[in-house]
Amino acid sequence: SDMSAWKRLKVSEIGETVTGNTPPTSDKDNLGSELPFFKPTDLDAGYNVREARQYLSHKGSKHARVLPTGSVLVTCIGATIGKTGYARVACATNQQINALVVNQKISRPEWAFWVFMSPLGQQQIKNNASATTLPILNKSKFESLEVPLPPLAEQSRIVAEVERRLSVVEELEATVAANLQRATRLRQS
């Protein structure tokens, strides 16, 4: 690939950053089953964030900042700072999470996800966080993080290759799990 065609852009130049918020919890009518309300633990799903432990009602979603499918969710407060998820559904998040809604003329959202997940991305997040007991990367610092950006076609090729290798790993894991089960059964018999 032609590395000279790669750019380095700030997060603020590749999309819009939306910091989550929590609708008033005193009003129980804000909770429901309409809109997934993601918190850092929900980002354990990584590249496949769909299910939330908590959902907002239609009313609650009016108090939230609703994000589109394909938003890149980055934990920016607390012990799990840097934990990143890729939203496969429309959603909202709490205030610990900054969401990047990528301008798709510039970047593939999947590319941005893998950049934040990479050692480079994780290092940048930790280096720019406040060094207090509760690490915080505020919105303006998050927006000034740098994202290496190849041309769109190249981003698509790299994302496809990462996905191909992930599916190979998942198949291997399934095979290993099946063989372990078989071995257990054989030992028992």
Side-chain angles (χ1 to χ4, degrees):
S1 83
D2 178 14
M3 290 297 284
S4 67
W6 287 50
K7 296 197 278 264
R8 291 188 77 86
L9 293 183
K10 289 184 164 58
V11 164
S12 59
E13 296 174 300
I14 69 166
E16 188 198 350
T17 297
V18 180
T19 304
N21 69 319
T22 301
T25 46
S26 52
D27 186 351
K28 292 291 170 247
D29 289 344
N30 284 329
L31 297 177
S33 58
E34 298 292 311
L35 188 75
F37 183 62
F38 293 132
K39 299 174 185 173
T41 38
D42 297 308
L43 305 190
D44 287 341
Y47 200 43
N48 204 7
V49 176
R50 289 174 195 280
E51 300 291 322
R53 286 165 180 76
Q54 199 171 48
Y55 287 75
L56 301 177
S57 64
H58 184 65
K59 179 182 176 185
S61 67
K62 290 195 178 347
H63 295 280
R65 300 182 183 134
V66 180
L67 302 162
T69 301
S71 296
V72 182
L73 313 175
V74 183
T75 305
C76 288
I77 298 181
T80 59
I81 193 163
K83 186 194 278 191
T84 303
Y86 185 64
R88 300 288 178 168
V89 288
C91 61
T93 74
N94 76 357
Q95 56 283 355
Q96 288 172 277
I97 295 172
N98 275 321
L100 174 60
V101 181
V102 171
N103 172 351
Q104 302 206 16
K105 293 191 183 80
I106 301 172
S107 177
R108 292 276 310 267
E110 299 91 339
W111 172 262
F113 169 83
W114 291 116
V115 169
F116 288 127
M117 287 290 285
S118 72
L120 171 91
Q122 291 290 307
Q123 200 54 55
Q124 275 200 80
I125 290 167
K126 296 195 171 55
N127 289 350
N128 286 283
S130 64
T132 53
T133 332
L134 184 75
I136 294 178
L137 182 69
N138 65 28
K139 184 176 175 180
S140 66
K141 283 213 166 136
F142 177 75
E143 289 181 321
S144 66
L145 298 179
E146 289 200 331
V147 177
L149 213 61
L152 275 171
E154 179 103 5
Q155 290 178 41
S156 296
R157 274 202 302 279
I158 295 170
V159 165
E161 181 61 17
V162 169
E163 289 176 351
R164 190 185 67 76
R165 291 183 185 200
L166 277 177
S167 68
V168 168
V169 168
E170 281 165 13
E171 280 169 33
L172 283 172
E173 283 174 346
T175 306
V176 168
N179 285 331
L180 282 172
Q181 252 183 333
R182 213 170 55 225
T184 308
R185 280 199 304 275
L186 286 171
R187 264 204 308 278
Q188 286 165 350
S189 62

